[in-house]
Amino acid sequence: WSAMIQNGVGMTKGTMSGRLAAEALNGIDSQLLKDIQAMGNPEQLPPQPILSMGIWAKVKWWEWMQRSEMCQYRGTVRIKRLAHNRPGT
């Protein structure tokens, strides 16, 4: 079991994962816990260096897909820096 920090919709999933982990550890039986356990075990991660290459590729893909937002953010920071460093201010 794993419950991690989440954001957005994932917050609900993370909260429920933590609750179900606590139920399982304390021997509390619930229908939701039975449903989750019926899903089976997670798959094993690939070995290194394949794992690291896959993670790196996924992060770069996310950056590529969000490049317009990153450019807007970087532009905003640059404008603020220029405005802050203006002579006479």
Side-chain angles (χ1 to χ4, degrees):
W1 285 87
S2 175
M4 300 179 177
I5 298 171
Q6 307 286 330
N7 59 18
V9 175
M11 189 182 323
T12 304
K13 291 179 184 177
T15 301
M16 290 308 299
S17 294
R19 178 181 172 179
L20 292 171
E23 287 180 5
L25 290 170
N26 289 301
I28 299 171
D29 196 23
S30 70
Q31 185 59 45
L32 185 55
L33 183 57
K34 289 178 186 175
D35 292 342
I36 294 295
Q37 289 172 335
M39 294 175 69
N41 293 327
E43 294 181 17
Q44 187 174 358
L45 294 173
Q48 291 292 352
I50 297 169
L51 178 61
S52 294
M53 292 186 313
I55 292 171
W56 181 86
K58 185 70 171 185
V59 168
K60 291 302 176 186
W61 174 252
W62 286 336
E63 287 177 356
W64 173 256
M65 295 304 293
Q66 301 302 319
R67 64 191 179 279
S68 63
E69 291 181 22
M70 293 301 292
C71 290
Q72 290 172 0
Y73 172 75
R74 288 179 184 149
T76 303
V77 171
R78 184 169 180 255
I79 290 170
K80 287 180 182 178
R81 285 183 187 154
L82 291 173
H84 180 71
N85 294 329
R86 263 192 332 220
T89 58

